[in-house]
Amino acid sequence: MDPTAYALVATDLDGTLLRGDDTVSDRSLAALTRVTGSGARHLVVTGRPAPRVRPLLADLGCKGLAVCGQGAQLYDARADRLLWSVTLDRELAETALGKIEAEVGQVYAAVDQDGVDGLTLIEPGYLMPHPTLPAVRVGRREDLWSEPISKVLLRHPDLSDDELAATARAVVGSLATVTMSGPGTVELQPCGITKATGLALAAAQLGLSPEQTIAFGDMPNDIPMFDWADRGVAMANAHPELRAVADEVTLSNEDDGIAVVLERLYGR
């Protein structure tokens, strides 16, 4: 292994490690195998909740920790349990939604329920940004709050993601943290929780530090992770906000951008 290589490789999934069809290329899998074969650790750090990550972790051969739910969940794949979980207060979530709708009119909402078997619930009018992910449609918004939740997902019929996220940040204040994690994916999560909080917790469990960490991502929700890690690598398809703070820009997720960097660090 190159002496400049890192002991912890943290990768986002959608738009980063995953291709558009939710698969990982053979080249990327081989590069990650070289990472773990060198003694380094690969850690998935994703906005997806733990139940939506399970099959992907199995495909990747990840049997250890994963940071899920934008940092609100630390999942142990081997034990199939959450080691740490923070929920979003449902009353605060409703209040935040009300403040946003007072500014921009009706939005459509979904929630990820807490727990390793939590469901994704969507209200009438909400369209899943990832149609391959399972979701349960409920009859009315009130039904979204039936069980503890890790986050709320928002869509607006007219505003862009950037416009919706900017308005949400302006009016939500300390009720929740606002993130943008992909096309059609503006989210509310527990205040103060980011991918960086989950990554820091996982790294501590592994006995590793920010200086030993390289992170890969594509969206503004990856900015805290880049701030925490020693090196942040944005994909060519990354949002301009992330590219602006990245230490390096690699090829796109469709062109094995992660593998290109890992091959340079860990060999081919």
Side-chain angles (χ1 to χ4, degrees):
M1 182 177 72
D2 188 296
T4 62
Y6 291 91
L8 181 59
V9 176
T11 66
D12 174 47
L13 289 179
D14 295 290
T16 302
L17 180 60
L18 297 181
R19 296 179 290 190
D21 61 359
D22 270 9
T23 62
V24 181
S25 74
D26 290 341
R27 183 180 178 185
S28 292
L29 285 172
L32 290 171
T33 297
R34 283 190 291 275
V35 167
T36 55
S38 75
R41 304 294 290 264
H42 171 224
L43 182 71
V44 166
V45 185
T46 178
R48 296 194 188 199
R52 307 288 87 82
V53 178
R54 267 192 192 123
L56 292 170
L57 294 177
D59 291 343
L60 289 168
C62 295
K63 298 177 181 178
L65 301 179
V67 177
C68 306
Q70 303 292 11
Q73 299 174 328
L74 182 59
Y75 175 65
D76 183 340
R78 181 173 285 104
D80 189 29
R81 67 186 182 96
L82 292 175
L83 301 182
W84 184 75
S85 177
V86 179
T87 58
L88 174 59
D89 184 279
R90 286 166 280 178
E91 289 187 9
L92 293 183
E94 280 195 279
T95 300
L97 275 176
K99 286 180 173 289
I100 294 168
E101 290 187 320
E103 294 292 323
V104 302
Q106 183 177 13
V107 298
Y108 298 107
V111 301
D112 285 334
Q113 293 180 332
D114 188 41
V116 294
D117 296 310
L119 301 173
T120 297
L121 304 181
I122 57 178
E123 72 174 351
Y126 184 89
L127 298 176
M128 287 290 289
H130 296 287
T132 60
L133 296 180
V136 176
R137 190 169 295 280
V138 297
R140 54 182 186 163
R141 178 170 292 179
E142 290 76 10
D143 297 329
L144 298 177
W145 321 122
S146 59
E147 298 289 341
I149 61 172
S150 60
K151 64 181 178 180
V152 179
L153 302 91
L154 305 176
R155 302 195 76 168
H156 191 278
D158 302 311
L159 295 180
S160 69
D161 297 333
D162 290 290
E163 291 169 331
L164 179 57
T167 299
R169 289 191 187 102
V171 301
V172 164
S174 62
L175 294 174
T177 295
V178 178
T179 60
M180 181 168 47
S181 61
T185 313
V186 175
E187 302 180 357
L188 306 178
Q189 59 198 71
C191 186
I193 295 297
T194 68
K195 283 191 173 184
T197 57
L199 175 55
L201 186 64
Q205 292 268 340
L206 298 171
L208 299 173
S209 67
E211 294 75 21
Q212 296 172 287
T213 305
I214 183 171
F216 295 83
D218 74 308
M219 290 299 290
N221 65 319
D222 295 312
I223 291 174
M225 180 167 69
F226 279 24
D227 289 342
W228 185 88
D230 181 74
R231 188 167 186 81
V233 182
M235 315 306 290
N237 50 287
H239 190 282
E241 288 182 21
L242 187 70
R243 290 170 62 100
V245 301
D247 297 299
E248 177 182 351
V249 177
T250 184
L251 299 182
S252 74
N253 62 318
E254 299 291 346
D255 295 321
D256 295 313
I258 286 181
V260 169
V261 176
L262 295 182
E263 288 166 358
R264 186 182 76 225
L265 291 174
Y266 300 88
R268 300 191 63 167

